[in-house]
């Protein structure tokens, strides 16, 4: 039995006290939820894959100068991170219309947006994470103007970098969610990237076939979520001892036979 102190348990992750002050251990679960936890399930091996993908992405982002909470991966499901005060905003970047923006504004899924959109959602499960304007953020003091400036400029850089990283492995980064936190140094704090970046919080479409390689497979009962998450990791070259070569045709046909939803969109 673990004698570690649990700090927080979320839908897909658990945070434990870290070995040193100012650190935490982030544990990735296989649990999956959607629609504000109305739909619950498990994606076998998701925690292991997301831990690896998020490590890779955060490491690459650190190389281009994005400050992050990631310190190092500890094992298959855990990583050591810096403890931050999470800013209560989900920062969503959109390159192509899909999901809630398509529903809210009646834009067909797959329609490229004239330019990248940044949206902010107030993190509150009881309210269903409502979309908010920067005026609300300032009015209720969820983040300062200076913090919002840092958040939006980092978010744009992250989007540019990740679009290229995924395009190189034939994946379109449709949209994704980021979270940021305050790292304190005495009275002073600065904003750094926190949480995770994985197929749980991104829409990733195969550029050739339009196949969805992300959590929408679970949300929309498309089946094949384990294979899709593994495929993203494989293309990123993260599956040790397995064939990481690019260009191999990704076949979700056996998953498709379990399809309960509409057939995948061809984009
Ligand atoms: P939408 O607003 O269309 O539902 O989501 C936009 C993007 O943000 C999608 O890539 C989605 O995965 C991500 N996203 C939005 N809210 C959440 C959330 O609460 N959890 C996770 N994991 N991703 C989210």
């Amino acid at each position: 039995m673990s004698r570690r102190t649990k700090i927080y348990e979320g839908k897909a992750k658990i945070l434990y006290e870290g070995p040193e002050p100012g650190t935490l251990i982030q544990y990735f679960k296989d649990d999956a939820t959607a629609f504000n936890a109305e739909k619950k399930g498990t994606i076998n091996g998701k925690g292991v894959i997301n831990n690896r993908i998020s490590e890779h992405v955060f490491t690459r982002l650190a190389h281009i100068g994005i400050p992050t909470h990631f310190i190092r991966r500890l094992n298959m499901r855990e990583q050591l991170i810096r403890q931050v005060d999470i800013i209560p905003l989900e920062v969503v970047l959109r390159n192509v219309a899909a999901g809630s923006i398509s529903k809210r504004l009646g834009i067909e899924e797959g329609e490229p947006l004239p330019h990248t959109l940044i949206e902010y959602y107030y993190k509150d499960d009881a309210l269903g994470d409502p979309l908010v304007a920067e005026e609300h953020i300032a009015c209720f003091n969820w983040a300062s103007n200076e913090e919002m400036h840092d958040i939006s400029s980092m978010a744009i850089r992250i989007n540019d970098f990740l679009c290229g990283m995924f395009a190189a492995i034939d994946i379109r980064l449709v949209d994704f969610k980021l979270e940021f936190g305050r790292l304190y140094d005495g009275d002073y704090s600065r904003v750094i990237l926190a949480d995770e970046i994985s197929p749980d919080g991104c829409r990733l479409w195969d550029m050739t076939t339009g196949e969805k390689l992300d959590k929408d497979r679970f949300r929309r009962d498309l089946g094949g979520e384990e294979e899709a998450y593994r495929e993203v990791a494989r293309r990123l070259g993260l599956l040790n001892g397995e064939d990481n070569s690019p260009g191999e045709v990704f076949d979700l046909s056996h998953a498709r036979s379990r399809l309960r939803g509409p057939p995948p969109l061809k984009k």
Side-chain angles (χ1 to χ4, degrees), residues 166-233:
F166 282 117
I169 53 170
D170 206 34
I171 290 175
R172 174 165 296 125
L173 179 60
V174 170
D175 57 32
F176 62 105
K177 186 246 323 178
L178 297 172
E179 292 190 25
F180 292 88
R182 292 183 190 102
L183 184 67
Y184 283 94
D185 181 3
D187 287 343
Y188 173 81
S189 80
R190 66 180 177 131
V191 175
I192 66 172
L193 181 66
D195 195 47
E196 69 176 299
I197 298 180
S198 73
D200 263 10
C202 302
R203 286 197 173 89
L204 303 169
W205 294 355
D206 184 292
M207 276 187 170
T208 308
T209 65
E211 202 80 68
K212 295 182 198 310
L213 302 175
D214 56 62
K215 197 168 152 193
D216 271 353
R217 300 206 74 84
F218 169 78
R219 294 188 187 103
R220 302 181 184 192
D221 290 329
L222 300 175
E225 39 277 70
E226 289 149 41
E227 294 86 343
Y229 279 56
R230 286 183 66 76
E231 177 63 12
V232 175

Side-chain angles (χ1 to χ4, degrees), residues 56 60-61 64 95 156-174 176 204 207 236:
H56 178 77
R60 301 277 311 263
L61 289 173
I64 62 155
N95 301 302
I156 292 291
R157 285 195 71 210
I158 293 168
N159 181 59
D160 286 347
F161 180 79
L162 293 186
C163 279
M165 188 189 85
F166 282 117
I169 53 170
D170 206 34
I171 290 175
R172 174 165 296 125
L173 179 60
V174 170
F176 62 105
L204 303 169
M207 276 187 170
L236 288 169

